[in-house]
Amino acid sequence: MSAEDLENYENDMELALYREYRDVVGLFSYVVETERRFYLANQVDLQVRSAAGEVYFELRLADAWVWDVYRSARFVKSVRVVTFKDVNVEELAKADIAL
């Protein structure tokens, strides 16, 4: 496999992942970004914790979808993330008219 073939394969995988995201985003209420992952979720619990003088975040998600091109099963029942980095949680706007 040439470098060009590998690049084309990775580009195709990213495009397929974006299309999947576009298809499922309407099923979720929240977008969550951490330093390592991007999630869609329907329940989010973010707790600020401290230990030994360090502050960290404990994030629990339920009914989630993970943006990860190398993951075969992106829908997960629950996720627990512990991080010292920033966490961004945004509530998605729902359409005014449900079809």
Side-chain angles (χ1 to χ4, degrees), residues 18-51:
Y18 169 74
R19 287 178 176 152
E20 182 178 328
Y21 163 81
R22 186 186 59 201
D23 291 343
V24 303
V25 68
L27 303 173
F28 296 94
S29 299
Y30 298 94
V31 171
V32 179
E33 293 175 275
T34 69
E35 79 276 5
R36 299 193 68 204
R37 295 275 190 277
F38 175 89
Y39 302 91
L40 298 172
N42 281 320
Q43 292 180 333
V44 177
D45 179 33
L46 177 63
Q47 300 293 318
V48 179
R49 309 268 193 222
S50 64

Side-chain angles (χ1 to χ4, degrees), residues 1-90:
M1 179 180 270
S2 71
E4 184 179 335
D5 290 340
L6 182 59
E7 186 175 330
N8 288 338
Y9 173 76
E10 289 176 345
N11 289 339
D12 290 345
M13 294 286 289
E14 283 285 335
L15 181 58
L17 182 62
Y18 169 74
R19 287 178 176 152
E20 182 178 328
Y21 163 81
R22 186 186 59 201
D23 291 343
V24 303
V25 68
L27 303 173
F28 296 94
S29 299
Y30 298 94
V31 171
V32 179
E33 293 175 275
T34 69
E35 79 276 5
R36 299 193 68 204
R37 295 275 190 277
F38 175 89
Y39 302 91
L40 298 172
N42 281 320
Q43 292 180 333
V44 177
D45 179 33
L46 177 63
Q47 300 293 318
V48 179
R49 309 268 193 222
S50 64
E54 295 286 334
V55 173
Y56 65 95
F57 303 97
E58 182 176 357
L59 179 65
R60 292 184 183 266
L61 309 175
D63 186 23
W65 181 88
V66 184
W67 179 286
D68 188 339
V69 73
Y70 298 107
R71 198 179 168 110
S72 60
R74 287 185 270 277
F75 288 96
V76 290
K77 185 175 182 177
S78 64
V79 177
R80 179 176 177 253
V81 178
V82 176
T83 181
F84 289 92
K85 305 282 185 171
D86 290 338
V87 175
N88 183 47
V89 177
E90 297 178 23

Side-chain angles (χ1 to χ4, degrees), residues 25-29 92-99:
V25 68
L27 303 173
F28 296 94
S29 299
L92 293 167
K94 294 294 180 183
D96 293 336
I97 301 173
L99 298 177

